[in-house]
């Protein structure tokens, strides 16, 4: 039996627009992001692509993305918190430029060390 997986990141969100480190903070899709997903979904529909199910993070931007795809392709959505974005601890919500500057002031962390002494590695 063959299984095919398609991975899709959420559409352009409010956090993306404002260059914010979103992490596990909720951020809605902006109109451009919704249009991205509508266009992609319509293309998939034209290609005849079908999905048995859509697995989505419960985060707003991911859920909105999944709902648009599901509407076009008539696929059920299953939420799974395992797919939530990484928790960046106190870095969540910071402008990306500020987060990058802050990281430069800290010693290099191992990829296994959590950022800001909290969050996920």
């Amino acid at each position: 039996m063959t299984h095919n997986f398609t991975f899709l990141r959420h559409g352009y969100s409010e956090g993306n627009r404002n260059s914010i480190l979103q992490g596990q903070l909720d951020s809605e899709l902006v109109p451009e992001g919704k249009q991205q997903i509508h266009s992609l979904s319509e293309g998939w529909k034209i290609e005849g692509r079908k999905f048995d199910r859509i697995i989505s993070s419960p985060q707003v931007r991911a859920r909105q993305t999944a709902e648009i795809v599901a509407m076009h392709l008539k696929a059920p959505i299953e939420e799974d918190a395992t797919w939530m974005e990484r928790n960046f601890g106190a870095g969540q919500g910071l402008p990306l430029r500020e987060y990058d500057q802050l990281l430069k002031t800290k010693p290099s962390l191992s990829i296994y060390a959590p950022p800001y002494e909290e969050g996920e590695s």
Side-chain angles (χ1 to χ4, degrees):
M1 178 183 283
T2 301
H3 298 283
N4 294 306
F5 294 87
T6 300
F7 292 92
L8 172 64
R9 191 153 165 82
H10 61 79
Y12 195 62
S13 69
E14 194 66 44
N16 296 138
R17 175 186 278 169
N18 295 317
S19 296
I20 299 295
L21 181 62
Q22 297 174 96
Q24 292 188 354
L25 298 178
D26 273 331
S27 178
E28 293 196 13
L29 296 182
V30 295
E32 303 95 313
K34 290 178 183 177
Q35 186 55 51
Q36 288 173 329
I37 304 306
H38 280 291
S39 295
L40 175 67
S41 299
E42 270 304 305
W44 281 344
K45 188 175 179 180
I46 290 166
E47 289 174 2
R49 192 140 346 160
K50 297 188 183 319
F51 296 105
D52 294 327
R53 87 181 76 165
I54 297 168
I55 302 173
S56 172
S57 154
Q59 291 176 271
V60 171
R61 60 192 178 270
R63 180 66 191 202
Q64 288 175 324
T65 299
E67 288 170 350
I68 293 169
V69 174
M71 179 185 68
H72 287 273
L73 301 179
K74 309 294 186 246
I77 300 172
E78 176 183 320
E79 277 191 11
D80 186 340
T82 305
W83 292 97
M84 288 181 70
E85 192 161 335
R86 178 179 174 193
N87 180 340
F88 286 93
Q92 294 179 149
L94 288 178
L96 290 174
R97 184 172 287 153
E98 187 177 325
Y99 180 73
D100 288 342
Q101 288 301 319
L102 187 60
L103 287 181
K104 289 177 185 174
T105 66
K106 294 180 170 255
S108 293
L109 297 174
S110 156
I111 60 169
Y112 303 107
Y116 288 97
E117 296 80 37
E118 55 184 74
E120 296 175 85
S121 60

